[in-house]
Amino acid sequence: MRAVPRPASRATVPIAAVVVVAVLAGVLLMGDDGRVPDPDDSKAGPLGNFTDASSGLPASGDSYYVALADLDGDGRDDLVSSAGQYGGGVDTTGVHAYLSRPGGGWSEASSGLPEDGTYGGLGIGDLTGDGLLDVVASTEGWSGDGDRGIGVFSAVRDAPRGLIWHLEAGPVSRGDYHQCVLADIDGDGRLDILAAGKDDGVRLWLGGRSGGALQWTAAGQGLPGGGSWTSVAAVDIDGDGHLDVVTSPYSASSPCARIYLGDGAGGFTDASDAMPRTRETPIMVAAGDVDRDGCVDILVSLRDSGLLCFLGGRDATGALAFRTALEGLPRDGAYRELALGDVDGDGDLDLLAACMDRGLELYLGSQPSAGEQRFTRVSLRLPGGAFSGAALGDVDGDGLLDVAGGEWGSSSKGGLTAMLGTRDDQ
């Protein structure tokens, strides 16, 4: 996931050009043709094997989700992880931050972040306006060690440790939320918090300030008001300049991904009829223009039946309409966090998926002909194991996308993994 920058103004970053990928509010900036620019076009070429870069990261423990973002502003992405899961022989709890060191390796910078509690959702963005990225984390509660709501932690520079974290006012101090993301829903230049609740529906709090402190105002009329929801993403689906919401219920109901169109002021209208009637149990959603047609597409990880892709578009009447595109995607396996990015530098989005059965999996996207979408799995020495977390970012500052993963130690070795991207022509 890429962090959400503090928006300077609507003129500087047009909201219609921002896609927030579900796994932790990652941002992809789209060009005028709807394509996602490569991080460094000079690096395009055949993919080489990923190389391990996990020195300094924990090699055991129950990791949940992960995020990659440049926390300390040195040009290299750092790693944030949530931990806890469901118990077992090896347990790690709380929220942890690791800074990417010059020349390789990681150093932990978690002082001030929660040390206990079962955490799931992570959001990264500059909430305080000081130029440093802050962390929002929610307890997920499925293990019974949650009910702490959503914590907000601001970053402060610290010479010995690089960064330390201060607890700020959060939107809610009780309840469990499987995922939370940051996005400027109402377009006022301040980041807001969207969260998928265990028993609390899909919630929205608009960000503001009061006497120098962060302030949160409940909004989200039209979003689901109850039930268990597993993920949430913010993206402009209908192209009206307002961020919309994609979310997933924790049930085998149809459709497995739901759409709510935003009015730009914190209200929403259900547009889920645009989705195919697919009855599956979803875990995570991700959104981006995978087929390069200028429309937002939706990918879904399923609890025990693989991955789904829905291509966005319009029907003959001009209404939103999504269609299923499954070529190359698995139809079995327990999948969790998803990340989208142009890993191979060919100009279209690829998919990194965390699988509890098979490890980290990379699917390269392509369009064999107009209107078609194909995914091709490549191994490239990505690790196996019981992975719940997956993220893409540039941890060594070379312009190539790298991989991070969080592993469930109760089912495999556990811990955190970082892998550097390479090219065969280097």
Side-chain angles (χ1 to χ4, degrees):
M1 136 189 179
R2 305 302 301 215
V4 181
R6 181 178 178 85
S9 69
R10 200 52 70 92
T12 303
V13 182
I15 203 70
V18 177
V19 175
V20 182
V21 174
V23 228
L24 300 226
V27 171
L28 300 172
L29 298 182
M30 302 173 68
D32 293 337
D33 60 356
R35 293 179 58 171
V36 178
D38 179 61
D40 183 349
D41 287 337
S42 68
K43 299 295 184 180
L47 281 175
N49 290 324
F50 286 91
T51 61
D52 185 75
S54 304
S55 176
L57 296 176
S60 62
D62 287 334
S63 297
Y64 206 101
Y65 294 142
V66 294
L68 288 174
D70 186 3
L71 301 175
D72 56 1
D74 65 354
R76 298 183 302 274
D77 280 344
D78 309 301
L79 191 154
V80 181
S81 69
S82 58
Q85 284 288 7
Y86 302 98
V90 180
D91 293 313
T92 305
T93 56
V95 179
H96 304 269
Y98 301 89
L99 303 182
S100 176
R101 296 197 302 254
W106 303 83
S107 60
E108 186 164 6
S110 302
S111 179
L113 294 175
E115 297 179 356
D116 57 358
T118 302
Y119 281 81
L122 294 169
I124 312 290
D126 182 8
L127 290 166
T128 59
D130 62 357
L132 292 176
L133 296 179
D134 309 309
V135 171
V136 173
S138 57
T139 54
E140 55 87 26
W142 298 101
S143 68
D145 186 22
D147 197 25
R148 306 185 188 195
I150 299 174
V152 177
F153 306 92
S154 62
V156 178
R157 293 196 184 277
D158 178 79
R161 290 165 288 190
L163 292 175
I164 57 175
W165 305 88
H166 288 177
L167 178 64
E168 303 282 351
V172 59
S173 60
R174 300 294 299 272
D176 294 310
Y177 299 87
H178 189 72
Q179 190 189 19
C180 57
V181 300
L182 291 172
D184 185 10
I185 298 295
D186 58 356
D188 65 352
R190 299 183 180 92
L191 294 175
D192 312 310
I193 296 177
L194 270 167
K198 180 182 175 184
D199 299 303
D200 198 24
V202 178
R203 300 290 303 276
L204 168 65
W205 294 274
L206 302 179
R209 311 260 320 173
S210 176
L214 295 177
Q215 180 176 342
W216 305 98
T217 301
Q221 183 176 359
L223 293 176
S228 292
W229 299 77
T230 57
S231 66
V232 64
V235 55
D236 184 6
I237 289 178
D238 57 357
D240 66 351
H242 304 311
L243 285 180
D244 310 309
V245 169
V246 182
T247 187
S248 56
Y250 191 55
S251 63
S253 58
S254 182
C256 64
R258 311 289 173 86
I259 297 172
Y260 297 86
L261 301 181
D263 61 9
F268 296 86
T269 301
D270 191 347
S272 301
D273 286 345
M275 294 294 294
R277 314 310 286 184
T278 304
R279 188 174 295 277
E280 304 275 6
T281 302
I283 297 296
M284 299 293 283
V285 296
D289 184 11
V290 298
D291 60 354
R292 302 193 295 179
D293 66 349
C295 298
V296 174
D297 311 310
I298 297 172
L299 291 103
V300 184
S301 67
L302 303 175
R303 184 180 64 181
D304 50 20
S305 51
L307 300 170
L308 296 175
C309 176
F310 301 104
L311 300 180
R314 301 273 181 175
D315 63 17
T317 69
L320 285 173
F322 286 78
R323 58 188 175 88
T324 305
L326 300 179
E327 185 174 355
L329 293 178
R331 298 299 292 123
D332 66 340
Y335 285 83
R336 299 297 183 260
E337 193 166 26
L338 305 175
L340 289 170
D342 186 7
V343 178
D344 57 359
D346 65 353
D348 52 20
L349 291 175
D350 309 306
L351 173 66
L352 179 70
C355 182
M356 296 293 290
D357 308 305
R358 296 186 284 261
L360 292 176
E361 296 183 345
L362 178 62
Y363 295 86
L364 302 182
S366 62
Q367 301 80 44
S369 60
E372 289 188 69
Q373 174 65 30
R374 175 185 298 166
F375 292 95
T376 302
R377 184 185 172 189
V378 292
S379 60
L380 302 177
R381 297 183 181 171
L382 287 173
F387 277 84
S388 180
L392 291 168
D394 185 3
V395 304
D396 57 355
D398 66 351
L400 302 179
L401 284 181
D402 309 311
V403 166
E407 196 171 355
W408 190 2
S410 301
S411 298
S412 58
K413 76 175 183 62
L416 297 171
T417 295
M419 306 285 289
L420 300 182
T422 67
R423 299 285 190 213
D424 273 343
D425 55 358
Q426 286 183 321

